[in-house]
Amino acid sequence: MSATMGAQSPSGVTVTDVCVVGLGPANLALAIALKDAGIDVTVLEKEPSFTWHREALLPGTRMQVHFLKDLVTPRDPTHPLTFVNYLHEVGAFESFVNAAHTTATRELFHEYLCWSADAIKDVCTFARTVTSIARCTYSDLWTVRSEPAGAAAGHGDVGPHEVRARVVVLGVGSEPHMPGGVARSRRVLHSANASQLPGLQDRIDGPIGVLGAGQSAAEVLLMLLRRHNGTSDFEHYFHPYGMMRADDNPFANELFDRTGPEVMFGAKDSVRSAWRSAHANTNYGVVDADTLQRLYDTIQDHRLAGGARYTAWRGSTLNAVTEKDGHVEVLLEDHSGKRVLRRVALLLCATGYRPVDLRPLLSDPSLRLSWADGAPLLTAHFEAVDVLGRPIENLLIHGAHAEPSHGLGVGLVSNIATRAGAMASRIKALLRTGRAA
Ligand SMILES: Cc1cc2nc3c(=O)[nH]c(=O)nc-3n(C[C@H](O)[C@H](O)[C@H](O)COP(=O)(O)OP(=O)(O)OC[C@H]3O[C@@H](n4cnc5c(N)ncnc54)[C@H](O)[C@@H]3O)c2cc1C
């Protein structure tokens, strides 16, 4: 590794061994593993500081992964950045153990992630949106260009910033998905901003519509029903007959083991695709058993007490949303095929997330990447593949973008620690052989 790595020249160009783009849990685990391996790394993140779905973390909601599957434990249980060590350091170890949970609350896990990110802050640059990744003209390095993001954009730091790196790793994750033609507004929200709901619920007068039947929809409904203020009733629009329970049986959970992505990748296309649809109910459009039960009980409590009315529009499809006279008009097709117009004060779309579109970032013509259905083709080791089917060993893409090839587990938290360890080892070998320069 070169002695000039990680240095910023007066021209604003930083040269590094590895440029990590995006700092969600996946790249946080990777940046820690790279630092552990003594590799020079620069992380670029568009948010002003580390955050993990900050506005979606409703009080009391819990992680859907065991607390031992943190950023490092499955790779190295003796690491200083384990969740258990975090609990110990902040004086929460005994209370967590006393409560005997196998999962952390999302807020607590978020605090743990922030604490871990703080430990690598010397290699992180925040408030920079990466806009392009291209090969350098006169060397084998990559040029990663970024622009100031958010508030930073208006405060002096305006010019494009360049990082030159021997290896680039993209882990830019997913972004909120709205139904086609529906725009977010003050009265039409995505569950990514669910923490705004209590304030809105206190101010509005009229029914609240919730679209979707997955975990976020159930959590939002439960929270709103529990803090019901007497004025809002609830309309719930969703496709299935009833909300469905997440499959968390231990056999299905093996999908999220360290070997899950490798086995998925090795499966022939028809088997991989059958596995993806058979096990979608471990994560998509489903709700954990505890939340489902609490939601059902809360709805019944309201019914008996004459509290909030809850109406399930089962088997319904959303056709259009219009804002009119301080209300939201929701045009549905109901289960019988009839068109129905509902008028609500607020519409919450719990309609999930989609991988960030990588095509603008990777549009450099010299790259000539292979794509399928908008996702880059990858090797078993998360290397991009060119149009001739050759791996580009020093351009790695992981997280949600690898789900088509590596299965459900790679977009979630479950195996980020072991994946990070394996990726760091390969990157170290690549840098040693000089093939990445
Ligand atoms: C409310 C909620 C709860 C969840 N709970 C769980 C759970 O309990 N268990 C579980 O396994 N999964 C859970 N998930 C799934 C979740 O997506 C993953 O846990 C995790 O966030 C994936 O991590 P990631 O690092 O791959 O992507 P992300 O977390 O999406 O991180 C990507 C990062 O890249 C940054 N970025 C994007 N584009 C750019 C750019 N151009 N330039 C610079 N930076 C960029 C983003 O700002 C972000 O910080 C949950 C998701 C939500 C929404």
Side-chain angles (χ1 to χ4, degrees), residues 109-271:
F109 195 72
H110 185 253
E111 289 304 306
Y112 158 68
L113 293 176
C114 293
W115 173 82
S116 304
D118 198 51
I120 59 154
K121 64 172 187 265
D122 57 317
V123 298
C124 299
T125 302
F126 290 98
R128 303 286 320 183
T129 302
V130 171
T131 50
S132 77
I133 292 154
R135 292 186 198 279
C136 289
T137 321
Y138 303 109
S139 73
D140 289 334
L141 298 177
W142 295 101
T143 301
V144 180
R145 291 204 174 83
S146 64
E147 287 175 355
H155 288 84
D157 180 18
V158 286
H161 178 95
E162 221 171 89
V163 174
R164 298 216 180 121
R166 299 166 77 190
V167 177
V168 173
V169 185
L170 287 174
V172 293
S174 301
E175 55 195 0
H177 170 74
M178 291 293 283
V182 179
R184 283 153 94 167
S185 73
R186 222 168 44 86
R187 287 180 179 273
V188 180
L189 271 74
H190 187 273
S191 54
N193 307 110
S195 63
Q196 294 175 14
L197 284 170
L200 287 167
Q201 186 181 25
D202 292 341
R203 290 200 300 276
I204 58 153
D205 188 5
I208 297 178
V210 175
L211 176 68
Q215 186 72 28
S216 299
E219 287 171 356
V220 160
L221 273 164
L222 185 58
M223 176 193 70
L224 293 174
L225 279 157
R226 285 194 162 166
R227 59 187 311 287
H228 176 59
N229 58 7
T231 59
S232 44
D233 289 329
F234 297 92
E235 307 216 336
H236 189 189
Y237 321 116
F238 54 89
H239 290 315
Y241 190 90
M243 299 184 84
M244 293 188 296
R245 182 175 167 167
D247 182 2
D248 61 353
N249 92 72
F251 292 98
N253 269 345
E254 289 189 351
L255 187 66
F256 304 103
D257 285 358
R258 71 167 70 200
T259 50
E262 191 185 317
V263 177
M264 267 282 179
F265 188 88
K268 63 178 187 175
D269 291 349
S270 57
V271 172

Side-chain angles (χ1 to χ4, degrees), residues 83-100:
F83 178 70
V84 171
N85 195 36
Y86 160 76
L87 291 176
H88 174 72
E89 292 240 330
V90 301
F93 180 80
E94 282 172 327
S95 53
F96 188 81
V97 172
N98 287 340

Side-chain angles (χ1 to χ4, degrees), residues 21-27 44-47 51-53 56-57 62-65 106 128-131 171-174 216 353 356 361 398-400 410-414 419:
V21 181
L23 191 64
N27 269 348
L44 298 175
E45 164 57 47
K46 68 178 180 178
E47 294 294 333
T51 180
W52 179 68
H53 302 301
L57 306 180
R62 306 200 77 84
M63 294 297 291
Q64 286 161 292
V65 61
R106 292 219 192 99
R128 303 286 320 183
T129 302
V130 171
T131 50
V172 293
S174 301
S216 299
Y353 294 75
V356 169
L361 273 186
H398 67 145
V410 286
L412 303 175
V413 169
S414 316
R419 185 167 81 234

